[in-house]
Amino acid sequence: YNKEALTWFFDREDQLETARQQVQVQVTAIRDQAKLAPSLHNMRANLELEPGKSSEELFEKAQKMEDEMLSNPELRLSDEERAEKKALIDEAYADWSKGDFKSFTKGLEMHGRYNLEQIQQDVANETGKSIKEVQKYYCSFLRRYREIAGYQKLIDRFDRAEAKREAREKRQVAISWKLEGVEDWKGGPPLLGTRHGNSYSAEEDSFLLFSVGRYGYGAWPKMRIAIRQHWQFRFNYFFKSRTEKDIQNRVDYLLKLVEKEYEEALAKEEKNSGSSSIKTEEDEGE
């Protein structure tokens, strides 16, 4: 929307309101003076009154000033200006508060900028807006978000959230690939390139990786409890004494290995697929 035009209307209204208040202050002062002034009906006092100083004349003067203020077209927006202002406000979504905008941007950050179905559902539930209202606001936002002050910070937030979401999805695909067909952590496939030595054992790594597939990445408290309660580690002081941060660090290391293995497997599969395709074409040529 035309922010400058709408701001002009708001500033103009403030100026007109200030002018009306100044007139009203004068009206109130005259009425206060009229309350203390003698009346024309008091003949004795009337002999000493100057013209326009009686209570009746002062009340009349105050009322006249107030009527002139209320009827003065220069102290209010014209019909055309009010219509233009209303059109700008309708276009500017004036019924969307800062809290509503925060809920909207939170939805974009959580679900991605183009996941309209999830965004509109969450925003509608949180703000009380209808699905249609959220859709309209969403379309306007995508078209005109550059008009928002500091919009680049919003875009950076969305980009970071989307990068994290893509990494999480990629990680989950790699975990599912690694644990495909594995029903128990003891039967988990070995991790190539894993460092053990005096640190974690292959059995402990397998348990951690299987736990990530079961509880999800980030469920460190659950994984720590699972380690402490599992009978097979009841005498394993090293593993049972690991903190949540220790578990996260080890899982991050393991997942890097899993993702590397998954990428290498995909590359090998693509290479084999390409070789088979070339061989098929040569056979057909012969």
Side-chain angles (χ1 to χ4, degrees):
Y1 64 95
N2 194 330
K3 184 177 181 180
E4 292 182 358
L6 193 56
T7 301
W8 181 87
F9 279 115
F10 288 140
D11 292 343
R12 176 63 176 160
E13 283 187 322
D14 289 341
Q15 294 171 0
L16 296 175
E17 178 63 25
T18 300
R20 290 194 296 270
Q21 288 178 356
Q22 290 174 349
V23 175
Q24 192 62 53
V25 168
Q26 296 178 24
V27 170
T28 301
I30 294 173
R31 283 179 175 159
D32 291 341
Q33 184 181 355
K35 294 176 183 178
L36 301 176
S39 171
L40 289 173
H41 299 292
N42 190 335
M43 300 303 294
R44 185 176 179 181
N46 188 38
L47 298 175
E48 302 174 2
L49 281 179
E50 296 180 12
K53 296 296 184 178
S54 67
S55 62
E56 290 84 359
E57 290 172 315
L58 289 172
F59 275 120
E60 183 179 354
K61 179 181 178 181
Q63 187 61 48
K64 184 178 180 180
M65 288 181 63
E66 189 172 46
D67 292 341
E68 289 177 351
M69 177 193 69
L70 295 175
S71 60
N72 187 353
E74 296 182 358
L75 293 179
R76 61 184 41 79
L77 296 178
S78 65
D79 293 340
E80 294 78 7
E81 289 174 331
R82 286 198 296 272
E84 185 178 352
K85 177 191 169 188
K86 183 178 183 304
L88 288 171
I89 290 176
D90 291 341
E91 185 182 356
Y93 301 95
D95 57 334
W96 283 70
S97 65
K98 288 185 179 179
D100 295 336
F101 178 75
K102 185 176 180 181
S103 298
F104 177 78
T105 55
K106 179 183 175 183
L108 267 65
E109 186 176 1
M110 182 180 299
H111 302 295
R113 278 168 282 191
Y114 306 107
N115 190 351
L116 176 57
E117 184 176 354
Q118 287 294 330
I119 292 171
Q120 65 187 17
Q121 192 63 52
D122 282 5
V123 176
N125 291 338
E126 193 164 338
T127 63
K129 308 288 185 185
S130 66
I131 296 295
K132 188 175 181 180
E133 287 177 313
V134 177
Q135 289 175 348
K136 182 180 177 182
Y137 192 83
Y138 172 83
C139 293
S140 296
F141 178 85
L142 290 185
R143 289 198 314 270
R144 312 187 68 170
Y145 67 88
R146 290 183 178 85
E147 299 175 24
I148 301 173
Y151 76 90
Q152 190 57 50
K153 292 182 179 179
L154 280 176
I155 300 305
D156 292 342
R157 272 176 49 196
F158 299 155
D159 289 342
R160 288 194 297 269
E162 288 174 3
K164 288 181 180 180
R165 187 162 43 254
E166 290 175 2
R168 184 168 58 248
E169 292 173 355
K170 180 181 178 182
R171 181 169 57 229
Q172 190 59 46
V173 169
I175 293 173
S176 299
W177 167 81
K178 188 66 176 178
L179 298 179
E180 184 177 4
V182 178
E183 297 181 359
D184 186 79
W185 63 274
K186 294 181 182 179
L191 290 168
L192 302 179
T194 310
R195 297 194 306 269
H196 296 298
N198 296 326
S199 184
Y200 294 82
S201 67
E203 190 177 64
E204 293 163 352
D205 285 341
S206 180
F207 184 86
L208 289 175
L209 189 60
F210 189 81
S211 297
V212 173
R214 180 179 182 183
Y215 300 117
Y217 181 86
W220 315 125
K222 289 184 179 181
M223 294 174 64
R224 187 166 184 263
I225 292 173
I227 293 171
R228 295 174 66 86
Q229 292 182 345
H230 201 283
W231 67 271
Q232 193 147 346
F233 302 119
R234 63 188 183 279
F235 300 123
N236 189 336
Y237 176 77
F238 169 80
F239 201 33
K240 290 175 66 175
S241 64
R242 295 304 88 190
T243 64
E244 294 177 12
K245 186 63 178 177
D246 293 335
I247 295 172
Q248 179 183 355
N249 290 338
R250 186 61 179 179
V251 167
D252 287 340
Y253 169 71
L254 295 176
L255 290 181
K256 287 180 181 178
L257 296 178
V258 171
E259 290 175 10
K260 183 178 179 180
E261 285 186 34
Y262 178 64
E263 290 173 358
E264 291 175 351
L266 286 181
K268 184 177 180 181
E269 184 178 343
E270 291 178 1
K271 183 178 180 181
N272 293 337
S273 177
S275 300
S276 300
S277 176
I278 294 174
K279 186 176 180 179
T280 302
E281 291 179 359
E282 293 176 351
D283 293 342
E284 290 178 354
E286 293 178 358

